[in-house]
Amino acid sequence: MKNCLSVIGVALLLATGAVAAQQAPAARSAAPQATTRPVPGAVDPNAIRDAGLRVAAAVDAGQAAQLWDEASVVTKKTLSREAFVAGIGKSRQSLGKAPNRSWLSVRRQSGDGSALPPGLYASIEFLAEFPGKPPVRELVSFRLDEDGSWRFAGYAVQP
Protein backbone atom coordinates (compact mmCIF):
# COMPACT_ATOMS: atom_id res chain seq x y z
CA MET A 1 0.00 0.00 0.00
CA LYS A 2 3.00 2.27 0.49
CA ASN A 3 3.52 2.32 -3.28
CA CYS A 4 -0.09 3.27 -3.93
CA LEU A 5 0.58 6.83 -2.79
CA SER A 6 3.17 7.28 -5.51
CA VAL A 7 0.37 8.11 -7.95
CA ILE A 8 -2.92 9.68 -6.83
CA GLY A 9 -6.46 10.94 -7.86
CA VAL A 10 -10.56 10.93 -7.97
CA ALA A 11 -13.02 11.72 -5.23
CA LEU A 12 -15.51 8.94 -4.95
CA LEU A 13 -17.99 8.64 -2.16
CA LEU A 14 -18.47 5.06 -1.12
CA ALA A 15 -21.27 3.53 0.83
CA THR A 16 -20.63 3.25 4.53
CA GLY A 17 -21.63 -0.10 5.98
CA ALA A 18 -24.14 -0.44 8.74
CA VAL A 19 -24.91 -3.01 11.41
CA ALA A 20 -28.45 -3.71 12.54
CA ALA A 21 -28.95 -4.69 16.15
CA GLN A 22 -30.87 -7.90 16.75
CA GLN A 23 -33.69 -7.96 19.22
CA ALA A 24 -36.70 -9.98 20.24
CA PRO A 25 -40.01 -9.43 18.45
CA ALA A 26 -42.17 -6.64 19.92
CA ALA A 27 -44.76 -9.17 21.06
CA ARG A 28 -42.23 -10.76 23.45
CA SER A 29 -40.60 -7.58 24.71
CA ALA A 30 -41.63 -4.06 25.48
CA ALA A 31 -38.06 -2.82 24.89
CA PRO A 32 -37.73 0.07 22.44
CA GLN A 33 -36.86 -0.96 18.91
CA ALA A 34 -33.16 -0.66 18.04
CA THR A 35 -32.14 1.58 15.16
CA THR A 36 -29.51 0.88 12.55
CA ARG A 37 -26.31 2.83 13.23
CA PRO A 38 -23.50 3.36 10.75
CA VAL A 39 -20.18 1.87 11.75
CA PRO A 40 -17.50 4.58 11.45
CA GLY A 41 -14.98 3.64 8.77
CA ALA A 42 -16.92 0.58 7.61
CA VAL A 43 -15.90 -0.61 4.16
CA ASP A 44 -18.30 -2.10 1.62
CA PRO A 45 -16.10 -4.40 -0.53
CA ASN A 46 -18.46 -4.15 -3.51
CA ALA A 47 -18.42 -0.34 -3.38
CA ILE A 48 -14.60 -0.34 -3.20
CA ARG A 49 -14.44 -2.72 -6.17
CA ASP A 50 -16.84 -0.59 -8.24
CA ALA A 51 -15.06 2.65 -7.37
CA GLY A 52 -11.70 1.04 -8.16
CA LEU A 53 -12.99 -0.04 -11.57
CA ARG A 54 -14.13 3.53 -12.30
CA VAL A 55 -10.69 4.86 -11.36
CA ALA A 56 -8.91 2.25 -13.51
CA ALA A 57 -11.19 3.12 -16.45
CA ALA A 58 -10.36 6.82 -15.98
CA VAL A 59 -6.64 5.97 -16.03
CA ASP A 60 -7.22 3.93 -19.22
CA ALA A 61 -8.96 6.97 -20.74
CA GLY A 62 -6.04 9.29 -19.96
CA GLN A 63 -7.94 11.28 -17.32
CA ALA A 64 -5.18 11.42 -14.70
CA ALA A 65 -5.41 15.21 -14.29
CA GLN A 66 -9.14 15.01 -13.57
CA LEU A 67 -8.53 12.24 -11.06
CA TRP A 68 -6.01 14.36 -9.16
CA ASP A 69 -8.38 17.34 -9.13
CA GLU A 70 -10.80 15.40 -6.90
CA ALA A 71 -8.29 13.43 -4.84
CA SER A 72 -8.06 13.19 -1.06
CA VAL A 73 -6.60 16.24 0.66
CA VAL A 74 -3.75 14.10 2.01
CA THR A 75 -2.95 12.91 -1.50
CA LYS A 76 -2.79 16.46 -2.83
CA LYS A 77 -0.38 17.40 -0.03
CA THR A 78 1.81 14.39 -0.87
CA LEU A 79 2.09 14.80 -4.64
CA SER A 80 1.68 17.72 -7.05
CA ARG A 81 -0.78 17.50 -9.94
CA GLU A 82 2.08 17.56 -12.45
CA ALA A 83 3.96 14.76 -10.68
CA PHE A 84 0.77 12.67 -10.47
CA VAL A 85 0.00 13.03 -14.18
CA ALA A 86 3.62 12.27 -15.11
CA GLY A 87 3.67 9.22 -12.82
CA ILE A 88 0.50 7.79 -14.34
CA GLY A 89 1.86 8.39 -17.83
CA LYS A 90 5.15 6.69 -17.03
CA SER A 91 3.60 3.65 -15.33
CA ARG A 92 0.94 3.09 -18.02
CA GLN A 93 2.62 4.35 -21.21
CA SER A 94 3.81 0.97 -22.45
CA LEU A 95 0.65 -0.89 -21.39
CA GLY A 96 -2.24 0.90 -23.12
CA LYS A 97 -5.84 0.11 -22.13
CA ALA A 98 -6.76 -3.00 -20.17
CA PRO A 99 -9.56 -4.92 -21.89
CA ASN A 100 -9.84 -7.23 -18.88
CA ARG A 101 -9.52 -6.78 -15.12
CA SER A 102 -10.42 -9.15 -12.33
CA TRP A 103 -10.36 -8.20 -8.68
CA LEU A 104 -8.09 -10.12 -6.34
CA SER A 105 -8.63 -8.56 -2.92
CA VAL A 106 -10.09 -5.69 -0.91
CA ARG A 107 -8.19 -4.50 2.17
CA ARG A 108 -8.66 -1.97 4.93
CA GLN A 109 -5.65 -0.46 6.71
CA SER A 110 -4.87 2.30 9.18
CA GLY A 111 -2.07 4.73 8.40
CA ASP A 112 0.14 5.36 11.41
CA GLY A 113 2.17 8.19 9.91
CA SER A 114 5.27 6.12 9.12
CA ALA A 115 4.48 4.30 5.86
CA LEU A 116 1.17 6.11 5.25
CA PRO A 117 -0.16 9.45 6.43
CA PRO A 118 -2.48 8.95 9.43
CA GLY A 119 -6.00 7.83 8.55
CA LEU A 120 -8.12 4.91 7.44
CA TYR A 121 -7.52 3.45 3.97
CA ALA A 122 -9.24 0.87 1.78
CA SER A 123 -7.73 -0.62 -1.35
CA ILE A 124 -8.67 -2.94 -4.17
CA GLU A 125 -6.17 -5.04 -6.07
CA PHE A 126 -6.87 -6.05 -9.67
CA LEU A 127 -5.14 -8.43 -12.05
CA ALA A 128 -5.13 -6.47 -15.32
CA GLU A 129 -4.49 -7.95 -18.74
CA PHE A 130 -3.08 -5.78 -21.51
CA PRO A 131 -2.79 -6.90 -25.16
CA GLY A 132 0.52 -8.58 -25.87
CA LYS A 133 1.82 -8.04 -22.31
CA PRO A 134 2.05 -10.23 -19.22
CA PRO A 135 -0.69 -9.51 -16.64
CA VAL A 136 0.08 -6.86 -14.00
CA ARG A 137 -1.42 -5.98 -10.65
CA GLU A 138 -3.13 -2.64 -10.20
CA LEU A 139 -3.70 -1.24 -6.73
CA VAL A 140 -6.32 1.49 -6.26
CA SER A 141 -6.56 3.06 -2.80
CA PHE A 142 -9.06 5.30 -1.05
CA ARG A 143 -8.84 7.31 2.18
CA LEU A 144 -11.57 8.18 4.64
CA ASP A 145 -11.15 11.97 4.77
CA GLU A 146 -11.94 14.10 7.80
CA ASP A 147 -15.37 14.99 6.40
CA GLY A 148 -16.36 11.29 6.47
CA SER A 149 -16.10 10.80 2.68
CA TRP A 150 -14.05 8.06 1.04
CA ARG A 151 -11.85 9.68 -1.65
CA PHE A 152 -9.37 8.27 -4.09
CA ALA A 153 -5.87 8.27 -2.61
CA GLY A 154 -3.61 6.21 -4.85
CA TYR A 155 -2.97 4.15 -7.95
CA ALA A 156 -0.02 1.90 -8.71
CA VAL A 157 0.92 -0.71 -11.27
CA GLN A 158 2.92 -3.62 -9.92
CA PRO A 159 4.51 -6.31 -12.14
Side-chain angles (χ1 to χ4, degrees):
M1 186 124 170
K2 181 178 180 180
N3 291 337
C4 71
L5 289 177
S6 63
V7 186
I8 326 253
V10 82
L12 296 171
L13 296 175
L14 301 178
T16 313
V19 175
Q22 294 181 1
Q23 67 171 289
R28 289 193 223 159
S29 170
Q33 191 170 20
T35 59
T36 302
R37 294 184 184 151
V39 177
V43 175
D44 177 352
N46 293 320
I48 295 291
R49 179 204 59 215
D50 294 347
L53 285 169
R54 287 190 296 270
V55 168
V59 170
D60 283 347
Q63 298 173 343
Q66 293 88 338
L67 293 175
W68 188 91
D69 289 342
E70 298 181 18
S72 169
V73 173
V74 169
T75 297
K76 288 181 176 182
K77 289 180 183 176
T78 305
L79 193 63
S80 73
R81 186 176 198 255
E82 294 74 25
F84 172 75
V85 172
I88 291 278
K90 185 177 179 180
S91 69
R92 290 292 303 275
Q93 182 178 9
S94 65
L95 298 174
K97 294 182 182 180
N100 188 30
R101 282 184 177 88
S102 53
W103 73 275
L104 299 173
S105 65
V106 173
R107 295 185 189 107
R108 184 178 122 170
Q109 179 178 345
S110 294
D112 61 4
S114 58
L116 289 173
L120 184 61
Y121 296 84
S123 62
I124 175 82
E125 184 177 15
F126 297 106
L127 184 63
E129 298 176 17
F130 295 90
K133 309 273 193 276
V136 298
R137 293 176 187 263
E138 290 178 301
L139 186 65
V140 179
S141 301
F142 300 89
R143 182 178 185 273
L144 184 61
D145 279 348
E146 286 69 21
D147 67 358
S149 298
W150 285 98
R151 290 198 173 78
F152 180 69
Y155 173 86
V157 175
Q158 304 166 334

